[in-house]
Amino acid sequence: MAEETLTTAQSHGHGHGEHPPHLAHHFESPGQQFDACKFGMWIFLCTEVLMFSGLFCAYAVYRANHPEIFLYAHKYLDTNLGAINTAVLICSSFTMAWAVRAAQKGQQGLLIGLLALTLLGGFGFLGIKYIEYEHKFHKGLLPGAQYNPTVTPGDHGNGDKHAEMGDHELITSEHDAGNAHTAPPGAAPARHDEEPAVAPTGVKPTEQTGLEKTTLPQAAPPPAGRSMEHDHAHEHGMTGRPNNVHLFFGIYFAMTGLHGIHVLAGMAFIAWVLKRSIAGEFGPEYFTPVDLVGLYWHLVDLIWIFLFPLLYLIH
Amino acid sequence: MTTISSSYDPVPELAHGNNYLTHTRGVLSWLFTLDHKRIGVMYLVGILGSFFLGGVFAVLVRTELLFQGEQVLTDDQYNQMFTLHGAVMTFLVIIPGIPAALGNFVLPIMLGAKDVAFPRLNLASFYLWTLGAIFFLAVLASGGLDTGWTFYTPYSIETNTAVIGATAGAFILGFSSILTGMNFIVSIHQLRPPGMTWFKMPLFLWALYATAIIQVLATPVLAITLLLLIAERTFQVGIFDPKLGGDPVLYQHFFWFYSHPAVYIMILPAMGVISELVSVFSRKHIFGYRFIAYSSIAIALFGFLVWGHHMFTSGQSNMMNMIFSALTFSVSIPSAIKVFNWLATMYKGSISLATPMCYALIFIFLFGIGGLTGLFLTTLATDIQLHDTYFVVAHFHYVMMGGTMIAFFGALHYWWPKMTGRMYSEMWGRLAAFLVFVGFNTTFFPQFVAGSQGMPRRYADYKEMYAGYHFVSSIGSYIMAVAFVIMACYLLHSLFRGRKAPANPWGANTLEWHCSSPPPHQNFDEQPAVGDCYDYSGLEYDTATDSYVPKSRTAVTT
Ligand SMILES: [Cu+2]
């Protein structure tokens, strides 16, 4: 068996005459192969964009329906760190683009140096992200049920100067407010655990939660004819904390977390290309992997450029 | 290496041993193969195995519903059975069925190419499919799943069955599907031979191309939806959880943004198969080539705009309901264009009722019913009555099973000689097709009636008034089961005892019939000439080999 595999491998190698080493047997020319690979990469990037688009959609829906949550909670994020990270990623995109050019021109040393710099940029980004995440984990700025803040918005430092003014009290009152939020005036607030039973297969979760009519905490159905639109400023008072602030952190961690995973993947690819370029595999005839990894890295960068203003720079 | 002396050699050169099956030997040469044909065959084996599994679940469900009261399954087991039937059939069988198994085998040969653009990704996509299938089996072993295949929130957040395992499995299968789609798009763009312009491609390739567009654009949205659902269950993120202020209907939007286009991932390749079969077995050029080609693309694009029709009763605004309703009606236009073109192709054709053509005719009949009953569900007023009843169940089985699976079996019988190099028994083939047809209608037609009288779907028991419909329906499912057992028997028998297949048993003119059966490892020894693949005037029937051969040179030139 082994022998036969060997002979067929040889017959392939010889059968096609002057094949360049990197040309796969089913392509006619290196140019065709390069085009195919690049086209495939663009399609892959499309799938990435669509994957993130789901999150952007969720963001848009919640931002449109509950702008007060975003206005309030974004102050928990440190704009300076976000801005630095944006700069870091843009720089690493630049070194990546330059690295592709170096590969095309066969400048070995430059290529290796630039790829290393790009990789460093990735590490820098993740390091800063780690600082941000760590702060949030410590201060209870977490999504959903884990949300239990011990700081007030705008406090990014280590001191809890403003904090602790009866936070538990605030939390509970928030929950009560949440229940009253959709209950009809005068009706007893429905508790969470008194939710209407849901059909066994979850076919009809709730009748009232159309996309454009989303209401915050689920409660008893409102009487017919009552508008679901609330004057939030009035409901919570101008100074109060809005309900369901944790939703912002749900979206924040989902978006930045998925992006972070993409940064990690991109760094793995860059490391792989770096290893191959140290082995001297790339030059003017063959630089496809550098080019493709570059495209991927630019996409990762681009997604962050959307995330930064959407999450950090809300007015 | 040996070469095939002529691509039209009436006797396949099996003696030389140079075909893709015998090219290299041993289990490892299959598991690590980069040959699209072998990957297609491995997919086929996996998909047929999953079909068997899903079929067993279906028979169990129907047996439970044979009479009122509890038969073989408790209510919880019943919930798990129909969920797993749906999930296995959708994610493991119907979505990859035609593109990944048969498309993988046929697409590069139809292009006159040696392989798909990215053979290694192709193998990776097969192993991702396998991994996803393993996840589903693990779910089965670890207490099942009872959410329905849609994983609707909030129930999917609360149930303590294996939602994470199943959604992770579906996520992985989605990846597999994306890689296949990428591969097909790039192959069709880059590997077409000189002379094959877009409008000289076989219509099956147009269909696969349209399918691949949907796979690439819709599946990532499912991926993020399932990831969020997993995050919801593990970290209580709250985005879909109404207890935490989240929006469960948003989940439905996300899910159907993928899963409605996924319906076209399932049906478009089937339509492509039918376009080939109808023309070949009518011995007539396909009617309205460009209309069929464009309608595939139109369906792919329209398919992205209609997902809201799954939420007419979920509390969408009336405005959105009306818009989605109107857009959904519009999808029926390109579908009808195809059906009319197939009928026009058959008109005055010389129709041969070989087994694949039997399936093509069954497809047109069943898809017609499935498509037209869809209009009842698109109409807002009638949908309020029919939503979540057996009418819906019958409708999508007519389209998914009566459409996609019937076309899958038509395609399987059509390309079986090419894939295996053996002919199956025509007599048994037609008998099985007939039994599938009878069994299918016996199973699902009564469900339309029961549904229109209010029988809700997904219930383990029912009232006296529905007993007759359920009984007949269950009997029908047994007839289908018998038909599939017969099919398995004669196909397996053909592998060992079947007549050796000629290169071109059906007289088709797409490029895969220009190479021997089974094809050599490299598909073609030299670049085949590209002509009009629906022009059969250059072929004549050869009684000695019971196959079609090119007309003798003199006859062609005069
Ligand atoms: Cu749909």
Side-chain angles (χ1 to χ4, degrees):
Chain A
M1 183 180 91
E3 226 171 338
E4 195 173 82
T5 334
L6 192 68
T7 47
T8 54
Q10 278 171 350
S11 75
H12 283 200
H14 296 297
H16 296 74
E18 306 295 302
H19 266 196
H22 289 288
L23 182 59
H25 77 115
H26 57 290
F27 287 114
E28 295 295 322
S29 65
Q32 189 196 28
Q33 179 169 358
F34 177 75
D35 285 348
C37 291
K38 199 144 176 176
F39 186 40
M41 191 67 195
W42 277 108
I43 296 174
F44 179 70
L45 296 186
C46 283
T47 71
E48 291 283 10
V49 168
L50 276 148
M51 187 168 177
F52 274 95
S53 73
L55 288 174
F56 283 110
C57 244
Y59 176 95
V61 167
Y62 284 102
R63 174 97 189 253
N65 287 330
H66 311 293
E68 75 287 353
I69 294 179
F70 288 77
L71 277 173
Y72 175 87
H74 92 275
K75 296 187 198 122
Y76 278 118
L77 305 186
D78 189 331
T79 314
N80 291 332
L81 288 181
I84 295 171
N85 251 350
T86 311
V88 167
L89 269 196
I90 290 176
C91 289
S92 76
S93 239
F94 172 69
T95 53
M96 188 70 228
W98 195 0
V100 174
R101 187 179 154 81
Q104 286 167 340
K105 302 186 94 184
Q107 297 158 326
Q108 279 299 319
L110 190 61
L111 168 65
I112 293 167
L114 287 168
L115 284 176
L117 267 181
T118 314
L119 193 57
L120 198 68
F123 276 113
F125 178 87
L126 285 184
I128 294 172
K129 206 77 222 152
Y130 175 76
I131 297 171
E132 288 191 76
Y133 271 20
E134 215 249 342
H135 176 250
K136 287 185 186 60
F137 272 80
H138 257 92
K139 306 298 180 192
L141 299 171
L142 292 169
Q146 285 89 21
Y147 179 73
N148 182 24
T150 55
V151 281
T152 49
D155 174 19
H156 312 295
N158 359 350
D160 295 340
K161 315 157 211 139
H162 324 271
E164 331 286 313
M165 21 87 73
D167 233 324
H168 287 286
E169 207 180 307
L170 253 173
I171 305 280
T172 43
S173 69
E174 177 184 319
H175 275 244
D176 286 342
N179 288 322
H181 183 66
T182 46
R191 301 300 314 187
H192 288 157
D193 36 330
E194 289 171 1
E195 264 183 76
V198 177
T201 46
V203 182
K204 294 179 185 171
T206 47
E207 299 290 356
Q208 289 78 32
T209 42
L211 180 57
E212 62 277 60
K213 291 185 183 176
T214 315
T215 51
L216 280 185
Q218 189 181 27
R226 184 182 147 92
S227 161
M228 310 284 278
E229 295 301 321
H230 289 259
D231 180 355
H232 289 285
H234 178 250
E235 284 265 327
H236 315 267
M238 295 310 281
T239 52
R241 184 196 310 206
N243 296 314
N244 293 308
V245 173
H246 62 81
L247 276 177
F248 176 84
F249 291 99
I251 288 169
Y252 169 84
F253 277 104
M255 292 182 106
T256 56
L258 189 65
H259 178 259
I261 292 170
H262 279 77
V263 173
L264 265 180
M267 287 165 64
F269 290 134
I270 293 170
W272 170 68
V273 174
L274 181 60
K275 183 177 155 268
R276 289 183 68 180
S277 55
I278 290 171
E281 290 187 33
F282 302 123
E285 307 81 38
Y286 181 66
F287 53 87
T288 316
V290 189
D291 206 10
L292 300 190
V293 169
L295 280 179
Y296 182 80
W297 192 249
H298 296 320
L299 180 85
V300 170
D301 183 22
L302 188 68
I303 289 170
W304 177 258
I305 287 174
F306 280 94
L307 288 183
F308 175 58
L310 285 179
L311 293 169
Y312 290 76
L313 307 178
I314 296 173
H315 288 294
Chain B
M1 287 274 111
T2 50
T3 52
I4 307 280
S5 49
S6 152
S7 15
Y8 274 127
D9 209 323
V11 185
E13 306 238 339
L14 287 171
H16 291 280
N18 180 27
N19 65 57
Y20 80 100
L21 294 167
T22 54
H23 178 66
T24 50
R25 285 178 192 283
V27 178
L28 289 184
S29 79
W30 278 82
L31 292 182
F32 294 104
T33 184
L34 297 180
D35 183 350
H36 68 98
K37 299 183 285 304
R38 287 189 168 194
I39 295 172
V41 169
M42 291 196 290
Y43 258 122
L44 186 64
V45 171
I47 285 163
L48 289 175
S50 309
F51 181 72
F52 174 75
L53 194 65
V56 170
F57 296 149
V59 167
L60 281 171
V61 164
R62 280 318 319 171
T63 304
E64 172 57 37
L65 295 170
L66 192 57
F67 303 109
Q68 277 180 284
E70 193 172 307
Q71 317 299 322
V72 287
L73 303 170
T74 65
D75 290 357
D76 278 341
Q77 286 170 335
Y78 177 85
N79 282 349
Q80 302 197 355
M81 278 307 141
F82 80 70
T83 299
L84 285 168
H85 165 70
V88 166
M89 285 301 199
T90 319
F91 292 118
L92 288 176
V93 181
I94 302 183
I95 289 179
I98 296 177
L102 301 165
N104 236 326
F105 189 93
V106 173
L107 175 135
I109 317 184
M110 274 188 166
L111 286 173
K114 294 190 182 110
D115 211 319
V116 290
F118 308 118
R120 259 183 256 153
L121 273 190
N122 201 15
L123 185 66
S125 114
F126 170 71
Y127 279 113
L128 284 174
W129 183 89
T130 314
L131 186 65
I134 290 172
F135 266 77
F136 273 74
L137 289 179
V139 167
L140 185 62
S142 68
L145 176 72
D146 63 352
T147 59
W149 77 280
T150 52
F151 309 115
Y152 266 12
T153 56
Y155 184 69
S156 57
I157 304 173
E158 289 157 8
T159 175
N160 45 27
T161 51
V163 175
I164 291 185
T167 44
F171 178 84
I172 295 167
L173 291 171
F175 239 96
S176 157
S177 176
I178 287 175
L179 293 184
T180 304
M182 273 174 59
N183 230 331
F184 284 6
I185 292 181
V186 177
S187 302
I188 289 174
H189 271 268
Q190 298 284 339
L191 299 181
R192 270 177 295 127
M196 189 186 281
T197 57
W198 281 91
F199 289 104
K200 283 187 181 164
M201 285 200 315
L203 287 164
F204 184 54
L205 294 187
W206 271 101
L208 285 180
Y209 185 75
T211 308
I213 291 176
I214 310 178
Q215 283 176 309
V216 161
L217 295 183
T219 318
V221 179
L222 177 73
I224 190 66
T225 311
L226 297 178
L227 279 186
L228 282 174
L229 181 55
I230 292 173
E232 199 73 71
R233 276 185 75 92
T234 39
F235 308 115
Q236 285 91 42
V237 178
I239 294 177
F240 296 140
D241 188 350
K243 275 187 197 154
L244 294 167
D247 187 347
V249 177
L250 186 63
Y251 174 86
Q252 297 187 17
H253 279 285
F254 279 14
F255 183 82
W256 289 111
F257 183 83
Y258 163 75
S259 291
H260 185 80
V263 170
Y264 297 113
I265 295 180
M266 306 177 207
I267 198 70
L268 273 172
M271 292 167 155
V273 167
I274 302 304
S275 302
E276 300 296 326
L277 297 186
V278 162
S279 170
V280 169
F281 291 99
S282 303
R283 313 302 309 144
K284 220 174 133 232
H285 195 285
I286 189 83
F287 185 90
Y289 174 95
R290 281 192 184 231
F291 281 94
I292 298 182
Y294 280 130
S295 65
S296 288
I297 304 296
I299 289 176
L301 299 181
F302 272 117
F304 277 102
L305 306 174
V306 302
W307 77 91
H309 62 216
H310 293 271
M311 286 165 287
F312 286 161
T313 60
S314 300
Q316 266 180 159
S317 71
N318 280 338
M319 183 51 120
M320 274 170 83
N321 282 349
M322 272 153 42
I323 291 171
F324 278 124
S325 171
L327 286 169
T328 306
F329 277 120
S330 67
V331 184
S332 56
I333 297 169
S335 311
I337 287 176
K338 283 180 189 285
V339 172
F340 291 134
N341 279 310
W342 296 327
L343 296 179
T345 305
M346 284 194 286
Y347 178 67
K348 287 191 175 170
S350 151
I351 297 172
S352 105
L353 286 179
T355 311
M357 186 59 174
C358 292
Y359 282 103
L361 294 176
I362 296 174
F363 174 95
I364 295 175
F365 183 79
L366 298 183
F367 179 75
I369 296 180
L372 290 173
T373 50
L375 299 179
F376 292 75
L377 299 169
T378 307
T379 311
L380 289 171
T382 47
D383 185 61
I384 302 298
Q385 154 79 7
L386 297 173
H387 181 80
D388 267 340
T389 66
Y390 264 63
F391 192 91
V392 178
V393 177
H395 159 69
F396 71 70
H397 278 91
Y398 263 85
V399 182
M400 298 291 89
M401 167 99 201
T404 308
M405 286 315 291
I406 292 296
F408 173 81
F409 287 114
L412 183 67
H413 285 84
Y414 179 60
W415 282 304
W416 184 264
K418 187 55 69 182
M419 297 176 91
T420 64
R422 302 285 180 157
M423 302 299 289
Y424 50 84
S425 153
E426 269 298 322
M427 192 270 286
W428 286 104
R430 285 178 206 168
L431 178 73
F434 176 74
L435 284 179
V436 167
F437 178 72
V438 171
F440 180 87
N441 284 298
T442 315
T443 308
F444 292 107
F445 202 83
Q447 296 187 1
F448 278 124
V449 188
S452 64
Q453 296 181 2
M455 173 68 212
R457 67 192 283 197
R458 294 176 168 154
Y459 276 41
D461 205 355
Y462 46 87
K463 285 188 171 172
E464 178 69 41
M465 64 182 286
Y466 304 115
Y469 303 120
H470 277 291
F471 180 76
V472 174
S473 183
S474 294
I475 297 299
S477 73
Y478 299 147
I479 298 176
M480 263 198 288
V482 170
F484 286 124
V485 170
I486 293 176
M487 191 192 293
C489 289
Y490 71 75
L491 285 181
L492 284 175
H493 179 266
S494 80
L495 284 183
F496 303 102
R497 296 282 168 78
R499 183 167 67 88
K500 293 217 160 113
N504 193 355
W506 317 121
N509 199 22
T510 41
L511 291 182
E512 80 271 25
W513 304 102
H514 289 219
C515 61
S516 56
S517 305
H521 173 64
Q522 299 266 14
N523 297 345
F524 299 97
D525 294 300
E526 49 206 66
Q527 189 76 262
V530 176
D532 183 344
C533 58
Y534 297 108
D535 177 11
Y536 306 111
S537 58
L539 295 165
E540 66 185 354
Y541 182 70
D542 174 48
T543 36
T545 54
D546 188 14
S547 73
Y548 287 79
V549 291
K551 281 184 182 157
S552 56
R553 219 164 273 277
T554 48
V556 174
T557 44
T558 48

